[in-house]
Amino acid sequence: MKRFIRANIGYMQGRLLSDNSKRIQNFPELNWKNELFIAHKINFRLIEWTINKNNMAQNPLYNSSLIELKKLSKRFNIKINSVTCDYFMEECFFKKKNQSINNKIKSNIKKILKNCNKLKIKYLILPLVDQSSIKSKSEEIMIYKYIKNLLKNYNGKTLILFESDFHPNKLLNFVKKFNSKKIGINYDTGNSASLDFDLDDEIKYFKYVKNIHIKDRLKNGNTVALGEGNWDYKKFSKTIKKIRYKGNLILQTARSKTRNDIEEIIKNRDFLINIL
């Protein structure tokens, strides 16, 4: 069990580097190669890539520098199983009215999905939280129609995972509506803690959960250190053991208050291994 857990624990890109962008997370355009080296040194073998609007052109998953990324991933023995597309959250086509801008956004998402498939990345995560949270039935319909159309001629193996703030029942119905094996769920322990959702309610959609973000948050509040928020990690541990979850566990934890980010991520990994 311990061996499985360690192999499946990864971290969110950028968490091993100091960040002055004041963003929740950001693709480290200047240091992403060095971060892979650091991750290798501290025995991480799994990373979740990130894509942001502000520096998307410098991101190898967008500018098609895939050969270099593949070589470095192999060199440092680090697997990219998932990509969190914050660009989708920052550029919500379903909240904009300019059709030409919307078409460009959709084209970019298609390009990113295509590049993920080329690198044999399993999951592309599209956030439907914060500024991209679905607030109306019309927005929900727009997302549904767009994804259905995107998948119509898509033969790749990369799955699209939704991270959503929907109530558990609504999220289950939303995902089931697609009736596609190409659609799944990214579960976020911190978001559920903040929204005060009960895992007993959420478990009904866990057959669609392929990737889990590990973090802790206060109820209706910010991200805090693991074990210091509203996340019922004891129940979480029992639940994923019971259902024999075998997917990714990605540390998207709070940054170090003392700027010792590498020590912080190691501490969080140890915390997660211990509870599991």
Side-chain angles (χ1 to χ4, degrees):
M1 184 67 178
K2 291 272 184 175
R3 184 180 297 175
F4 154 71
I5 292 167
R6 184 174 286 276
N8 285 266
I9 292 177
Y11 74 98
M12 186 66 66
Q13 186 180 37
R15 284 302 199 276
L16 303 184
L17 302 168
S18 297
D19 184 66
N20 297 314
S21 68
K22 296 183 179 179
R23 292 171 175 266
I24 297 173
Q25 60 201 31
N26 196 43
F27 169 68
E29 58 185 283
L30 300 177
N31 296 314
W32 67 268
K33 298 175 188 178
N34 185 49
E35 187 183 37
L36 294 179
F37 171 70
I38 295 170
H40 176 77
K41 281 181 64 179
I42 60 174
N43 295 315
F44 269 103
R45 297 295 176 257
L46 189 63
I47 181 175
E48 182 162 306
W49 210 259
T50 61
I51 299 180
N52 302 90
K53 176 187 175 183
N54 65 303
N55 56 15
M56 191 163 66
Q58 287 74 48
N59 197 310
L61 262 180
Y62 180 79
N63 63 27
S64 300
S65 302
L66 301 181
I67 295 176
E68 182 181 23
L69 179 55
K70 189 174 181 178
K71 283 182 178 178
L72 286 172
S73 175
K74 186 176 181 180
R75 177 182 172 188
F76 294 120
N77 192 24
I78 296 177
K79 202 170 190 179
I80 306 170
N81 259 353
S82 53
V83 174
T84 196
C85 191
D86 280 352
Y87 169 76
F88 186 80
M89 180 170 62
E90 296 159 340
E91 287 286 87
C92 313
F93 73 87
F94 54 96
K95 294 183 184 288
K96 297 179 183 290
K97 295 182 179 180
N98 187 307
Q99 193 58 46
S100 63
I101 293 176
N102 287 347
N103 288 338
K104 178 63 176 175
I105 294 168
K106 292 177 182 179
S107 176
N108 285 336
I109 298 296
K110 189 174 183 179
K111 179 178 179 179
I112 291 166
L113 179 62
K114 185 178 179 181
N115 285 340
C116 285
N117 192 60
K118 283 180 179 178
L119 277 185
K120 298 181 180 180
I121 295 170
K122 290 183 178 180
Y123 312 121
L124 175 63
I125 300 162
L126 301 183
L128 296 173
V129 296
D130 300 327
Q131 60 261 46
S132 60
S133 176
I134 295 176
K135 297 300 184 184
S136 67
K137 190 64 179 179
S138 62
E139 290 181 355
E140 183 181 338
I141 291 171
M142 285 177 70
I143 287 287
Y144 173 76
K145 287 183 176 179
Y146 163 65
I147 297 298
K148 286 292 282 187
N149 186 61
L150 181 65
L151 294 177
K152 189 180 293 183
N153 299 310
Y154 173 65
N155 297 314
K157 294 186 177 181
T158 300
L159 275 61
I160 292 175
L161 306 185
F162 291 112
E163 181 178 322
S164 171
D165 56 10
F166 275 162
H167 183 276
N169 291 332
K170 190 170 183 178
L171 179 55
L172 176 61
N173 291 332
F174 178 69
V175 172
K176 284 174 69 175
K177 187 178 178 182
F178 287 95
N179 191 29
S180 172
K181 293 182 179 179
K182 301 293 185 183
I183 297 294
I185 292 173
N186 177 80
Y187 179 72
D188 189 298
T189 62
N191 292 349
S192 290
S194 176
L195 293 165
D196 203 27
F197 288 154
D198 192 325
L199 191 54
D200 291 335
D201 291 329
E202 296 173 310
I203 194 65
K204 63 188 71 173
Y205 62 63
F206 255 67
K207 68 176 182 178
Y208 296 103
V209 172
K210 310 296 181 184
N211 195 73
I212 296 178
H213 287 170
I214 301 292
K215 64 174 181 272
D216 203 349
R217 289 177 64 178
L218 300 171
K219 183 178 178 181
N220 301 317
N222 296 326
T223 303
V224 294
L226 295 184
E228 295 183 7
N230 196 42
W231 176 37
D232 190 342
Y233 58 87
K234 293 180 181 178
K235 178 183 277 191
F236 174 81
S237 173
K238 289 178 182 177
T239 300
I240 66 168
K241 287 176 184 176
K242 184 177 180 180
I243 65 173
R244 298 182 180 180
Y245 175 78
K246 299 293 183 182
N248 301 334
L249 297 164
I250 304 296
L251 293 166
Q252 196 186 31
T253 44
R255 287 187 174 273
S256 169
K257 293 179 181 178
T258 57
R259 301 181 71 85
N260 293 317
D261 295 297
I262 295 174
E263 290 179 17
E264 187 72 18
I265 207 79
I266 292 172
K267 183 178 74 174
N268 288 323
R269 179 176 60 189
D270 291 344
F271 179 94
L272 186 57
I273 289 171
N274 287 332
I275 68 168
L276 297 176

